[in-house]
């Protein structure tokens, strides 16, 4: 019956507290919890939040050790199809990364087709798939594929901080090129090639209204895209402000710049060179973010230069200064 249990130590009243003993809890409470941990280790303390933020920032800045086609920390691009016998041949010849070569069933085995199959076979890591013409028509949305379709994997862009982290790891001042409104993939590829040639640490492009790392950009880079990372950002102005907080000087190229490339001493240190489109130049917000606006001296009187050419001239000047 309730209340008549013979079990020892059973509470028979509503009075709180131990009826037999504390089980040693009082003695443990008197022993204390040891020395007070430092503020940086106390959860919720301001110094603890700062320490956690610094650790997270340091982890994000660690440079990737993977191939640029699988680089950590950036948004992926989209898979791309290269179609047609000559374009597929040129892409394979120039080392454009590829995952699968689709070949039409019963295709005429001419010399160009044989060259393509040989290049794909020599790579050793490209899947060869035979497909009916109707399937290739569907894959290419009816483009004139001529029986050959090459699938290029999506490019995975670097994180903007990877570029500066790689420079600091090599005990070098960062040299980065940012593009504002450059829409031609061939220009992007040529700039990647110049950055690689003159010891730069990478290229930054915006996500919208700008060229991305397509097969065409890869071809124009002449293979240097394999070792020169490209970062894609949602907001170029914010990315430049982030670099400024890291201590980099942002220099924009403009036809009406207050300085010339030859006399700007800021190019000697850590720098981001911003290049706009040939037609519109730098956007308003990007131009206002720049610490300096510089121009390239052109005694011949030309109004502007191709973005790829302009980048090469400025990068050469930076490399020349750093060599002395």
């Amino acid at each position: 019956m309730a209340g008549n249990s013979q079990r020892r130590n059973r509470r028979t009243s509503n009075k709180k507290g131990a009826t037999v003993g504390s089980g040693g809890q009082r003695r443990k409470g008197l022993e204390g919890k040891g020395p007070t941990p430092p503020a940086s280790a106390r959860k919720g303390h301001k110094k603890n939040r700062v320490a956690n933020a610094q650790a997270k920032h340091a982890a994000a800045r660690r440079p990737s050790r993977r191939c640029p086609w699988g680089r950590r920390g950036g948004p992926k691009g989209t898979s791309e199809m290269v179609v047609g016998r000559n374009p597929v041949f040129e892409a394979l010849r120039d080392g454009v990364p590829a995952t699968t070569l689709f070949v039409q069933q019963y295709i005429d085995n001419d010399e160009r087709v044989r060259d393509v199959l040989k290049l794909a076979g020599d790579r050793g890591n490209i899947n060869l798939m035979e497909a009916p013409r109707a399937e290739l028509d569907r894959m290419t949305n009816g483009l004139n594929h001529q029986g050959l379709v090459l699938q290029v994997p999506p490019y995975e862009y670097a994180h903007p901080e990877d570029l500066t982290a790689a420079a600091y790891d090599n005990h070098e001042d960062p040299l980065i090129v940012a593009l504002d409104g450059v829409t031609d993939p061939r220009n992007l590829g040529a700039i990647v090639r110049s950055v690689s040639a003159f010891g730069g640490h990478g290229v930054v492009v915006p996500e919208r209204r700008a060229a991305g790392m397509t097969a065409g950009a890869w071809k124009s880079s002449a293979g240097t895209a394999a070792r020169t990372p490209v970062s894609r950002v949602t907001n170029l102005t914010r990315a430049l402000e982030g670099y400024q907080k890291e201590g980099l000087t942002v220099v924009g190229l403009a036809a009406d710049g207050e300085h010339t490339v030859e006399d700007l001493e800021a190019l000697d240190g850590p720098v981001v060179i911003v290049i706009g489109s040939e037609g519109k130049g730098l956007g308003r917000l990007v131009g206002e973010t720049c610490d300096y606006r510089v121009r390239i001296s052109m005694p011949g009187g030309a109004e502007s230069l191709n973005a790829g050419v302009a980048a090469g001239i400025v990068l050469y000047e930076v490399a020349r200064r750093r060599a002395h």
Side-chain angles (χ1 to χ4, degrees):
M1 180 181 295
N4 290 332
S5 173
Q6 298 302 311
R7 286 181 296 170
R8 297 179 61 186
N9 300 332
R10 185 180 187 280
R11 181 182 296 174
T12 57
S13 71
N14 292 328
K15 185 177 179 180
K16 295 183 179 180
T19 59
V20 176
S22 66
Q25 297 301 318
R26 292 178 183 173
R27 186 179 73 251
K28 291 180 180 178
L30 293 174
E31 292 177 355
K33 298 181 180 180
T36 303
S40 60
R42 276 182 262 163
K43 187 176 181 180
H45 196 282
K46 179 180 178 181
K47 290 188 176 180
N48 177 257
R49 294 196 298 270
V50 171
N52 290 338
Q54 290 175 341
K56 183 177 180 182
H57 178 70
R61 285 186 54 178
R62 293 192 191 106
S64 171
R65 303 301 179 191
R66 298 168 59 195
C67 169
W69 290 92
R71 183 172 289 272
R72 171 189 66 83
K76 288 186 178 181
T78 57
S79 182
E80 183 183 0
M81 297 291 183
V82 178
V83 303
R85 299 187 182 188
N86 284 333
V88 168
F89 171 77
E90 292 170 359
L92 290 172
R93 181 196 61 193
D94 295 337
V96 173
T99 54
T100 306
L101 173 63
F102 295 93
V103 183
Q104 181 182 314
Q105 290 177 340
Y106 314 116
I107 190 174
D108 293 335
N109 193 14
D110 62 13
E111 182 179 358
R112 180 59 81 205
V113 173
R114 289 193 294 271
D115 290 341
V116 166
L117 293 175
K118 182 179 185 306
L119 287 171
D122 290 343
R123 288 272 195 100
N125 60 351
I126 298 178
N127 299 317
L128 296 178
M129 301 288 292
E130 193 175 44
R133 180 182 180 87
E135 177 64 13
L136 297 185
D137 290 342
R138 185 194 64 79
M139 291 170 53
T140 61
N141 292 323
L143 294 176
N144 184 22
H145 51 73
Q146 298 175 309
L148 293 177
V149 178
L150 185 68
Q151 186 174 37
V152 176
Y155 184 90
E156 194 167 339
Y157 294 87
H159 190 281
E161 290 179 349
D162 284 348
L163 312 187
T164 51
Y168 293 134
D169 283 351
N170 292 327
H171 307 289
E172 299 172 348
D173 285 334
L175 172 57
I176 297 168
V177 172
L179 306 183
D180 181 24
V182 175
T183 57
D184 189 340
R186 294 170 297 182
N187 267 337
L188 172 57
I191 291 168
V192 169
R193 186 176 184 179
S194 294
V195 169
S196 177
F198 294 112
H201 300 99
V203 179
V204 178
V205 297
E207 285 187 10
R208 297 187 298 171
R209 295 186 292 276
M213 282 304 297
T214 63
W218 179 276
K219 287 171 58 179
S220 296
S221 78
T224 57
R227 57 181 181 271
T228 303
V230 176
S231 173
R232 187 168 64 175
V233 296
T234 55
N235 187 301
L236 184 58
T237 300
R238 283 204 297 266
L240 295 176
E241 291 171 347
Y243 282 136
Q244 287 172 325
K245 291 177 182 178
E246 287 194 53
L248 279 68
T249 301
V250 178
V251 177
L253 289 188
D256 58 350
E258 301 85 7
H259 306 271
T260 63
V261 171
E262 298 83 3
D263 64 15
L264 184 64
E265 295 183 358
L267 294 176
D268 296 351
V271 66
V272 182
I273 299 166
V274 189
I275 300 172
S277 65
E278 185 175 347
K280 298 180 180 179
L282 299 176
R284 181 180 62 83
L285 290 178
V286 170
E288 292 174 354
T289 304
C290 293
D291 297 302
Y292 299 97
R293 288 159 52 92
V294 301
R295 65 185 186 276
I296 297 174
S297 300
M298 293 183 286
E303 293 183 2
S304 63
L305 292 172
N306 171 277
V309 174
I313 292 173
V314 181
L315 287 167
Y316 168 78
E317 177 63 21
V318 174
R320 185 188 66 80
R321 287 169 173 265
R322 292 186 173 187
H324 293 300

